[in-house]
Amino acid sequence: MNGVELRDALHADRPALGAWSTTGNPFSIECMGAAGFDFLLIDLQHSSIDVRTAEEALRAAQLRDCATVVRLPGLDPSFAGRVLDLGANALLFPTVESARQAADAVAACRYPPAGVRSFGPFRASLDLGREPAALTAGVSCMVMVETVAGIEAVEEIAAVDGIGAIWVGPSDLALSMGLAPSMSPVPGDHQEAISRVRRAANDAGVLAGIPCLSAQDAWARWCDGFRLVTTGSDVQYLRASSAADVVTWGRLTGGESRG
């Protein structure tokens, strides 16, 4: 599934499930793709993934017919253009707090005169050709709202032309509110802020996204109106399955799992 097919599926209200990659390891990407995820988010913000690793990760996702979203470390337009040139289907810009920043994110995904992306599509041209219009149409600009300031401006952010999706970052949002980081909605202002992001996106005809902790949680959020949902990351899956086997082994051996 490429980026355009994913957008069509989501707008047609067909459930799609994603997962995060924080290692960028091509084989891990292929394993998650083979498991059946519809899209993969390659995280350049909270990981050690560099541009070369991102290129390998994108290639591996394409082999397994997974759409790709790359979360950037910031709003740098030159870095954004470089990742788009590698063939990402969508970019996710973190910590967007105003309509101006959202417009800057859109501009980073478009060529002049509508934007500031420099022309040199590199790998992207293999699938999308070299026509600027096709290259622009083949990618989606997504932003994260994850602070109190972002919540207060979320309706204006959603109204910016060219925004394809708004993700809420639950943990950073909780920290911004003086709470402990939490992936799950904390009853009260935190939960209401998450709902406000969904409402703003839905009202503007933009996709709403949220990271989740399980398939059950993701389905609940999808039923709430979030259309981009994820269940975890490669590292989380590895930790969970490894820990489960060690705990089971310890129980079978009376706690003597080493030595």
Side-chain angles (χ1 to χ4, degrees), residues 45-189:
Q45 183 185 25
H46 295 299
S47 73
S48 60
I49 300 176
D50 56 18
V51 172
R52 175 51 64 86
T53 305
E55 178 184 0
E56 294 170 352
L58 290 168
R59 185 180 295 111
Q62 286 177 326
L63 287 173
R64 293 298 171 180
D65 199 29
C66 274
T68 53
V69 180
V70 176
R71 179 163 69 176
L72 303 175
L75 290 168
D76 180 359
S78 61
F79 189 81
R82 190 174 186 189
V83 174
L84 286 178
D85 290 344
L86 293 178
N89 298 137
L91 296 186
L92 178 57
F93 294 84
T95 323
V96 169
E97 297 182 317
S98 68
R100 176 69 262 173
Q101 288 182 333
D104 288 343
V106 172
C109 298
R110 293 180 170 178
Y111 295 106
V116 297
R117 181 180 173 187
S118 178
F119 188 79
F122 195 47
R123 281 196 73 249
S125 65
L126 298 177
D127 290 321
L128 299 174
R130 295 183 63 83
E131 287 297 324
L135 289 161
T136 299
V139 301
S140 180
C141 177
M142 304 180 178
V143 297
M144 292 197 79
V145 171
E146 45 193 343
T147 63
V148 170
I151 295 297
E152 292 175 348
V154 69
E155 289 80 13
E156 290 79 12
I157 292 170
V160 172
D161 180 49
I163 293 295
I166 300 179
W167 287 74
V168 61
S171 292
D172 279 325
L173 179 58
L175 285 171
S176 178
M177 293 179 161
L179 304 170
S182 174
M183 286 285 289
S184 300
V186 180
D189 291 343

Side-chain angles (χ1 to χ4, degrees), residues 247-257:
V247 168
T248 300
W249 178 252
R251 186 166 56 247
L252 292 172
T253 61
E256 297 180 3
S257 60

Side-chain angles (χ1 to χ4, degrees), residues 164-231:
I166 300 179
W167 287 74
V168 61
S171 292
D172 279 325
L173 179 58
L175 285 171
S176 178
M177 293 179 161
L179 304 170
S182 174
M183 286 285 289
S184 300
V186 180
D189 291 343
H190 184 252
Q191 187 172 36
E192 172 53 31
I194 290 173
S195 296
R196 182 173 172 181
V197 172
R198 172 186 48 77
R199 289 195 301 269
N202 291 168
D203 290 347
V206 204
L207 298 173
I210 188 170
C212 306
L213 295 172
S214 67
Q216 291 82 359
D217 183 32
W219 176 245
R221 300 287 78 76
W222 195 90
C223 291
D224 284 343
F226 285 96
R227 288 298 174 262
L228 289 157
V229 291
T230 62
T231 57

